[in-house]
Amino acid sequence: MRDQFPILQREINGHPLVYFDNAATTQKPSSVINAMNHYYANSNANVHRGVHTLAGEATEGYESCRTSLKKRFNADRAIITSGTTEAINLVAHSWGRANLSDGDAIILTEMEHHSDIVPWQMLAEEMNIELRYVPVQNDFTLDMELFEASMKDVKLVCVVHISNVLGVCNPIEQIISIAKKNGAKVLLDAAQSAPHQLINFKQIGADFMAFSAHKMCGPTGIGALLVSNEAFAEMKPFMGGGDMIETVSIHGSTYQTNEQKFEAGTPRIAEAIGWTEALKWLDTIDLEKEHTRLIESARWLATKLREMGMTVYGRHDEDDAAVVSFLHPTMNSEDLAHLLDARGFAVRTGHHCAQPLLDRLEISGTIRASLYFYNTHEEVVSFIDCLTEILERFS
Ligand SMILES: Cc1ncc(COP(=O)(O)O)c(C=O)c1O
């Protein structure tokens, strides 16, 4: 598998690259890079309205991404966006503004990524709506009792499926069932789960699901919002422009009735073609087997880090993602990450765009190692060896 990823042949500072920053973005297989190059070299044109051969090829390439997404995630509607962030903002503008009113409440959790907090704060500044946050408990899980008790006047529940800091997988079936019982819609931030799991969108019963291609071996700049038919009917267009209209006159416009209604302007054609290849690549992976392998490596890593005196955040249960956030008791995280980079290891430090969660944990950042399918247990072992050597020399 590793041979398919050209970047994994790279050396960093004279050492083989060990890429453990997959929760931020994943690497791309040759098939994705080649498909995008091939499109630009052979089929580049604008989509939808052209009758010429290239326009037909570009349209087919772009729309086949939508078809692949609908098939993979069992969804009736897939709006193509620039990523998770834009998908969530689209829900706030297209659904939120049109369907929320004075006194309504939205439930978020303390472990949301900023992209599932700030759009709602901005909307709450505009409209008289209340934001309620489900607390994170000491075992890194959501307080489900408090969640259920906070449902009065709630019209929307926004929840991250898998935390990008803790790797914790939230009980979305239970969350969706409680929300539905109380007549609320559910937005799932699947940025960290869609890359690892096959999610059956219709079966789980969420109304919106947002995710990004670049975290699942696809290109940057593209993502999707899956929408239930019911929620889709309640969405008003947000961005106006070409492609999203049916007719325009000086007296007014009528809009498309399909997903294009929410995709104004020239879309991300090369990126869609690249993402389709990434989805094909993911089809070749035995997700359950690979997940088991990765979570076992993550658990081993967490145990070793604790033995070395680090504080490790997260529980690394069966369904959790292989994300290991940790802190050394005294050593500065950025310094440690620089020393790791000097030896070829790519990890992330900082607040990981989840400041409310870090406030709750009473820390300002962590070092995060996040694994993906091309990582090996040998790399994890060499990471611990390298950290041991660094700590012996510098602490
Ligand atoms: C849980 C979660 N939500 C949302 C995002 C935002 O994704 P993007 O920057 O691709 O829009 C991320 C990215 O790190 C994430 O991990």
Side-chain angles (χ1 to χ4, degrees), residues 12-150:
I12 302 288
N13 301 314
H15 299 272
L17 167 67
V18 176
Y19 186 76
F20 281 172
D21 196 14
N22 294 288
T25 200
T26 51
Q27 299 302 344
K28 322 301 171 202
S30 298
S31 60
V32 170
I33 300 166
N34 294 342
M36 294 175 77
N37 279 340
H38 185 270
Y39 161 73
Y40 277 127
N42 294 282
S43 302
N44 179 52
N46 212 331
V47 290
H48 293 142
R49 290 166 309 277
V51 292
H52 59 82
T53 302
L54 297 188
E57 287 174 9
T59 303
E60 197 183 310
Y62 180 71
E63 288 298 332
S64 75
C65 179
R66 195 190 316 279
T67 309
S68 306
L69 289 169
K70 286 180 175 179
K71 188 160 163 251
R72 182 176 184 82
F73 296 104
N74 189 24
D76 287 324
R77 300 287 183 180
I79 301 170
I80 295 181
T81 67
S82 68
T84 310
T85 304
E86 191 185 284
I88 296 172
N89 276 273
L90 179 62
V91 179
H93 287 281
S94 289
W95 185 86
R97 275 199 189 138
N99 293 279
L100 297 172
S101 48
D102 273 14
D104 285 344
I106 297 179
I107 289 198
L108 311 168
T109 83
E110 275 183 349
M111 65 167 88
E112 296 311 301
H113 187 278
H114 294 167
S115 64
D116 201 22
I117 297 177
V118 185
W120 306 114
Q121 290 177 337
M122 290 164 80
L123 194 67
E125 270 175 32
E126 251 178 62
M127 302 176 78
N128 182 23
I129 53 174
E130 186 195 339
L131 304 183
R132 296 180 193 148
Y133 292 84
V134 182
V136 173
Q137 307 176 113
N138 290 340
D139 64 355
F140 307 110
T141 62
L142 294 175
D143 186 335
M144 292 300 291
E145 254 179 63
L146 211 94
F147 167 60
E148 193 158 13
S150 314

Side-chain angles (χ1 to χ4, degrees), residues 23-25 82-88 111-116 160-165 189-193 210-215 221-222 352-353 368:
T25 200
S82 68
T84 310
T85 304
E86 191 185 284
I88 296 172
M111 65 167 88
E112 296 311 301
H113 187 278
H114 294 167
S115 64
D116 201 22
V160 68
H161 190 177
I162 291 184
S163 159
N164 62 313
V165 179
D189 175 350
Q192 298 293 339
S193 55
F211 51 105
S212 302
H214 69 96
K215 294 187 196 284
I222 186 165
H352 315 300
C353 295
R368 181 183 71 185

